Amino acid sequence: MSELYSPKNVQELLGIDSHTLRKYATLLEGHGYPIHRNTKGHRGYFDKDVNTLRRLIEISKQDGMTHERAAISVMTSDDEKVSTGTEPEAELIQPAHDQDIQQDCNHDDLLERIEHLEQINLDLIKHLKEKAVREASLEEKLNQILNYVKRTEQFVVERSQIEEETRRQIAAASQKKWWKWWK
């Protein structure tokens, strides 16, 4: 079995920083390339992974080559190795017809992603509308409670005024007049 390299060792071997290594590994994984991960999810690299990353770096340095296309080229060359059992030819840039097919595939993938995002947006809009309805209902209930509290406070004030007036009348009625002292 070949040696398992840590990300730090691979960075030193390839002369790249950790961010770039992570970006390249994620790009390759996105195209179905399996990179070893331990139980904690940390990446480990075998010799074949280091060679694949080295090819990705070399291909991406060509004029007009994006990292995405370089990853596709590396994955295609890996597929050719598996199917034919030999190394692919030095030709790294695919013929125009193959590029058109890949672009169509990329367009289809992008359309699927866009449709998925549109569905997510529609779901979010639906949830926001439901939330707005719930909040409006709660606000209406709060307004009803506030009106009830105001009416109750007003009633308490009026009742205390009536009670005070009643006490004064009772006090006035029970007070003896000087001319009625014998009674």
Side-chain angles (χ1 to χ4, degrees):
M1 184 168 184
S2 63
E3 182 181 351
L4 183 66
Y5 297 102
S6 70
K8 188 165 188 80
N9 293 341
V10 175
Q11 292 169 35
E12 292 171 1
L13 285 171
L14 298 175
I16 57 177
D17 63 4
S18 62
H19 173 73
T20 305
L21 177 61
R22 224 178 357 265
K23 181 172 98 175
Y24 289 162
T26 303
L27 186 64
L28 287 172
E29 286 176 330
H31 287 284
Y33 186 86
I35 294 179
H36 173 76
R37 288 184 181 258
N38 65 12
T39 56
K40 293 182 180 180
H42 300 139
R43 290 185 184 100
Y45 300 90
F46 292 105
D47 291 328
K48 69 177 183 73
D49 301 328
V50 174
N51 291 333
T52 302
L53 287 165
R54 191 172 281 128
R55 279 200 326 266
L56 176 69
I57 293 168
E58 290 171 4
I59 294 171
S60 64
K61 287 181 181 176
Q62 293 181 3
D63 288 339
M65 184 63 74
T66 64
H67 291 294
E68 185 74 25
R69 287 178 56 200
I72 292 169
S73 179
V74 168
M75 291 303 295
T76 304
S77 65
D78 281 347
D79 291 343
E80 288 175 13
K81 263 197 239 181
V82 170
S83 64
T84 63
T86 62
E87 288 289 324
E89 318 222 324
E91 183 65 35
L92 297 176
I93 299 178
Q94 300 170 347
H97 179 67
D98 290 344
Q99 287 178 354
D100 290 342
I101 292 172
Q102 284 183 349
Q103 286 179 352
D104 287 342
C105 292
N106 288 342
H107 288 289
D108 292 341
D109 291 343
L110 289 174
L111 285 175
E112 287 178 24
R113 288 179 184 174
I114 289 171
E115 289 172 358
H116 179 68
L117 289 173
E118 285 177 347
Q119 184 60 43
I120 289 172
N121 284 338
L122 291 174
D123 291 343
L124 286 173
I125 289 170
K126 177 183 169 188
H127 289 299
L128 286 173
K129 285 180 180 179
E130 291 171 355
K131 184 178 179 183
V133 168
R134 285 192 305 268
E135 287 177 354
S137 173
L138 290 174
E139 187 175 346
E140 183 179 332
K141 288 179 182 178
L142 282 174
N143 285 335
Q144 289 174 351
I145 291 170
L146 284 174
N147 289 336
Y148 176 77
V149 168
K150 286 179 185 176
R151 285 192 309 252
T152 304
E153 288 174 349
Q154 186 178 6
F155 175 72
V156 167
V157 169
E158 289 174 0
R159 184 174 176 178
S160 65
Q161 290 173 348
I162 291 171
E163 287 176 353
E164 186 62 33
E165 182 63 29
T166 304
R167 278 191 212 109
R168 274 193 239 130
Q169 288 178 357
I170 291 173
S174 63
Q175 201 176 37
K176 291 186 179 181
K177 304 292 180 193
W178 65 270
W179 62 85
K180 293 183 181 180
W181 60 272
W182 62 88
K183 288 186 183 181

